Amino acid sequence: MATHPMKDLKVHKLVLNISVGESGDRLTKAAKVLEQLTGQQPVFSKARYTVRTFGIRRNEKIACHVTVRGEKALALIEAGLKVKEFELLRKNFSDTGNFGFGINEHIDLGIKYDPSTGIYGMDFFVVLERPGFRVNRRKKSPAHVGKPHKLTQEDAIKWFQTKYEGIVLNKAAY
């Protein structure tokens, strides 16, 4: 893609999120689905504040997510994009060079349907980075990533189109 090795893009991490909107049995089943898919223990997310119309209280567990890195992340991204037929909208890409999309049914990823579990939709969020982004996160003498080295929306779109031969649409086709 890029001629300079420091300009190459790679997947830093993939975050899979299932937001159930309630605690209890459905949330634990959603956590089982994520564990089945990734082989990792999911983390539960809590509600920030009480919303009476949705019937949720503050600090109530309402979602679960898992962070995947490496080869496993690339395989899951490929599976998720296959469900979306490698088509994403321009608004799926953030200004900082990351992108996300959602699928409606987890069984499309190749997991066998289990009637006791049910069907869950999930969000995929992919964080891209270039070599050298670690300087921002390291403990000893952290530094800033310069503006020319930061990712843009156009960089992420170009990476998606070349790596997965994906199609980026401007508007959703209903």
Side-chain angles (χ1 to χ4, degrees):
M1 190 176 95
T3 52
H4 198 285
M6 290 296 277
K7 288 282 186 183
D8 286 338
L9 295 183
K10 65 175 194 265
V11 174
H12 175 56
K13 63 182 174 182
L14 162 70
V15 180
L16 293 173
N17 176 48
I18 298 180
S19 187
V20 180
E22 59 185 88
S23 57
D25 200 30
R26 280 194 61 213
L27 185 61
T28 51
K29 285 179 182 173
K32 270 201 194 87
V33 167
L34 279 179
E35 194 168 349
Q36 208 176 353
L37 192 61
T38 62
Q40 292 174 228
Q41 188 70 38
V43 179
F44 293 102
S45 306
K46 294 177 177 180
R48 284 186 286 180
Y49 37 77
T50 303
V51 181
R52 291 197 53 195
T53 52
F54 298 152
I56 57 169
R57 290 186 301 281
R58 186 169 182 262
N59 288 335
E60 181 183 10
K61 290 178 180 175
I62 57 168
C64 55
H65 65 273
V66 64
T67 303
V68 188
R69 297 171 203 270
E71 292 299 316
K72 200 188 290 180
L74 291 171
L76 285 168
I77 293 167
E78 181 96 32
L81 286 170
K82 216 171 266 168
V83 173
K84 298 292 276 185
E85 295 169 349
F86 297 96
E87 283 186 7
L88 293 179
L89 300 177
R90 185 168 279 280
K91 69 176 190 177
N92 288 106
F93 292 86
S94 75
D95 295 333
T96 53
N98 305 314
F99 67 95
F101 58 93
I103 60 169
N104 293 331
E105 299 180 352
H106 73 275
I107 53 172
D108 292 339
L109 295 170
I111 295 179
K112 205 168 174 306
Y113 174 65
D114 181 13
S116 65
T117 306
I119 292 179
Y120 292 96
M122 61 177 65
D123 302 319
F124 285 69
F125 194 74
V126 182
V127 178
L128 298 174
E129 70 170 13
R130 286 190 168 129
F133 271 38
R134 182 182 166 269
V135 297
N136 216 357
R137 294 187 298 267
R138 66 188 178 195
K139 189 172 174 76
K140 186 180 177 184
S141 61
H144 293 289
V145 174
K147 188 157 175 50
H149 200 62
K150 282 188 175 150
L151 292 175
T152 62
Q153 185 181 36
E154 291 307 312
D155 291 334
I157 289 172
K158 204 162 130 194
W159 177 85
F160 169 68
Q161 287 170 334
T162 52
K163 182 153 170 90
Y164 293 109
E165 285 143 21
I167 302 158
V168 178
L169 306 169
N170 285 329
K171 287 211 170 77
Y174 292 107

